[in-house]
Amino acid sequence: MAHLKLGVLVSGRGSNLQALIAACADTFYPAEIVLVVANKPDAKGLDRARKAGIVTAVVEHGDFPDRETFDKAVDAHLRDAGVEWVCLAGFMRLLSSWFVETWYDRIINIHPSLLPAFKGIDAHAQAIAAGVKLSGCSVHIVRTEIDAGPILVQAAVPLLPDDTEDSLAERILTVEHQCYPLAVRLIAEGRVRIDGDTAIVAMPPDIGDQIISPLKS
Ligand code: GAR
């Protein structure tokens, strides 16, 4: 089976990008990263991509008069590289509805909460303030509304009484790094059917972690 060609968009550290790079290093993994785009020239994710021999592009949002013009420049890079699916990995820019419509059902994002709870940039602080006892991460198909769209995979972690935003973020990150490669695999293996606002996922039998949902059947 041909590898699904991914374009990964980053703004910063790029640890989720690193998890995808690691997954793609396995020849049996059904996807490959053909391009990494950053909206900031100093994004650490760019170094990670270069080290892995992946083509990179920097599209600085400050150089563009508006969101859609910026998005069109990103889109041109993605098309040139033959990208089939777009992965947002810590990409801290809202995408225009033009971009979301152009790549409809072919953009995924990872967010550090159990959506639809705690959307937005301060998900960890929101979870702590709400006093929830479990938080986690979600990988979802991107729609124009922020942190919304059919959910593919979620994983939960405990939120402990003395957690800070940093300690919670670190705990959630460990499951993010499992969930993002898994979600890409599910897409690449044709295990995802999107039905309006929800995704129906056929989980492969080798996934054993009970806190990752959906469970295997
Ligand atoms: C991750 O925790 C990701 O879930 C979050 O930014 C971090 C990026 O880390 N994304 C969002 O909050 C999107 N709404 P990384 O650059 O190390 O992958």
Side-chain angles (χ1 to χ4, degrees), residues 186-208:
L186 295 171
I187 290 165
E189 290 181 349
R191 295 176 178 276
V192 174
R193 185 165 61 81
I194 298 163
D195 184 7
D197 290 335
T198 62
I200 294 120
V201 177
M203 204 60 146
D206 59 291
I207 301 301

Side-chain angles (χ1 to χ4, degrees), residues 52-169:
I54 298 166
V55 176
T56 61
V58 177
V59 185
E60 286 192 72
H61 56 266
D63 293 346
F64 295 87
D66 55 45
R67 207 173 284 286
E68 194 169 306
T69 319
F70 166 79
D71 286 358
K72 285 188 169 156
V74 173
D75 173 73
H77 282 285
L78 297 169
R79 281 175 200 284
D80 281 353
V83 167
E84 295 170 301
W85 274 74
V86 178
C87 299
L88 310 182
F91 185 67
M92 297 309 188
R93 294 282 304 164
L94 282 178
L95 293 166
S96 61
S97 45
W98 176 84
F99 189 93
V100 176
E101 296 300 327
T102 300
W103 289 88
Y104 199 79
D105 280 350
R106 288 183 299 143
I107 315 170
I108 55 175
N109 179 45
I110 186 153
H111 182 74
S113 77
L114 293 173
L115 291 172
F118 314 138
K119 297 175 179 180
I121 51 169
D122 54 353
H124 307 102
Q126 291 181 56
I128 291 168
V132 294
K133 303 296 179 255
L134 287 171
S135 191
C137 71
S138 308
V139 184
H140 66 95
I141 304 275
V142 169
R143 295 287 184 254
T144 45
E145 313 84 73
I146 186 163
D147 297 324
I151 293 167
L152 301 175
V153 177
Q154 295 183 303
V157 299
L159 196 160
L160 304 175
D162 56 355
D163 262 332
T164 62
E165 284 179 52
D166 284 349
S167 65
L168 178 61

